[in-house]
Amino acid sequence: MTAGFQLDALDLAALLCSRVCHDVINPVGAIVNGLEVLEDENDPSMKSFALDLIKKSSRNASARLQFARIAFGAAGSAGASIDLGDAENVARGFIHDEKVALTWEAPRLLMPKNKVKLLLNLLVVSTSTIPRGGSVNAVVAGDADTARFEIVATGNHSRIPHGLIALLAGEPEGGTLDSHAIQPYYTGLVARAAGMSVGVESIEGGVKILAAPQTAAP
């Protein structure tokens, strides 16, 4: 089933670029600030602080770019498969945060890239349901052809963000998108390209996201 709302390809590209820039601008800005401190300060303690900031921010920026390369980018030639072990590595780098703990339960196998892109984007969606932090448990069941994903996010004040389900279905409320809404909308596009359906439901203490082949109920 094709969503009625259609986004121009150039607008999709521009909004996704804005999203990626939003994800990396803070760590890159911190690197710049750290370098300025190194240039201007003579205090050894301040120089040590600046070096730690640069190292931490560099790792953060690198992790976010590596995640974006798979979640939003081509990540290989057309029809390529991606190792779920590589997906786990970039997911842990992206989500590594004292506020969110990630549990990953998946076999080590090659999976079509659109399904891996969907899995990673669903992880991002799941973190939006626990704005004050918590835990995310991602489970992959089945093989490359029959894969099902279950992602459970739990935390204080968990909720399904307003408009999320409509965005995943490809029907943004009001018929407009911005750089904040593009990620769940894009997730829905990837799901349909991968032949999978996505369901979101509230559970006690959290939110559950299920993705399954369109021939099966999610």
Side-chain angles (χ1 to χ4, degrees), residues 36 62 72 99 115 152 179 185 194 199 205 214:
E36 290 176 348
S62 177
F72 305 127
K99 294 202 309 179
K115 291 186 177 181
V152 177
S179 59
Y185 175 83
Q214 289 179 348

Side-chain angles (χ1 to χ4, degrees), residues 26 29 53 59 106 113 123 128 131 140-141 165 175 177 182 195 198 217-218:
N26 284 340
L53 177 64
R59 287 192 296 267
K113 69 177 182 180
L123 284 175
S128 72
V140 178
I165 293 175
L177 286 169
I182 191 61
V198 176

Side-chain angles (χ1 to χ4, degrees), residues 34-217:
L35 290 171
E36 290 176 348
V37 171
L38 286 179
E39 290 179 350
D40 299 336
E41 284 286 344
N42 293 319
D43 184 347
S45 65
M46 288 299 296
K47 286 183 175 292
S48 177
F49 170 79
L51 283 172
D52 287 341
L53 177 64
I54 291 170
K55 290 177 183 178
K56 179 180 179 180
S57 300
S58 296
R59 287 192 296 267
N60 191 352
S62 177
R64 289 176 177 276
L65 287 172
Q66 289 181 56
F67 182 90
R69 177 177 175 269
I70 296 180
F72 305 127
S77 59
S81 295
I82 297 173
D83 191 320
L84 282 181
D86 295 334
E88 178 183 3
N89 289 337
V90 298
R92 290 193 181 281
F94 181 82
I95 294 181
H96 178 66
D97 190 313
E98 61 272 10
K99 294 202 309 179
V100 179
L102 173 65
T103 302
W104 181 278
E105 301 177 39
R108 187 71 186 256
L109 54 80
L110 292 173
M111 186 169 287
K113 69 177 182 180
N114 275 344
K115 291 186 177 181
V116 177
K117 289 160 73 75
L118 174 61
L119 175 59
L120 293 179
N121 276 279
L122 288 177
L123 284 175
V124 178
V125 171
S126 73
T127 62
S128 72
T129 70
I130 46 173
R132 298 194 181 182
S135 63
V136 173
N137 183 53
V139 178
V140 178
D143 58 26
D145 295 324
T146 63
R148 297 173 63 96
F149 308 146
E150 178 182 293
I151 301 174
V152 177
T154 55
N156 292 331
H157 301 282
S158 62
R159 81 288 184 272
I160 298 175
H162 177 74
L164 173 62
I165 293 175
L167 286 167
L168 290 170
E171 296 292 348
E173 295 182 1
T176 60
L177 286 169
D178 57 22
S179 59
H180 297 290
I182 191 61
Q183 192 275 327
Y185 175 83
Y186 175 74
T187 301
L189 289 178
V190 176
R192 291 185 286 279
M196 299 185 75
S197 299
V198 176
V200 182
E201 61 179 295
S202 294
I203 59 173
E204 184 176 357
V207 174
K208 179 188 290 185
I209 301 174
L210 297 173
Q214 289 179 348
T215 53

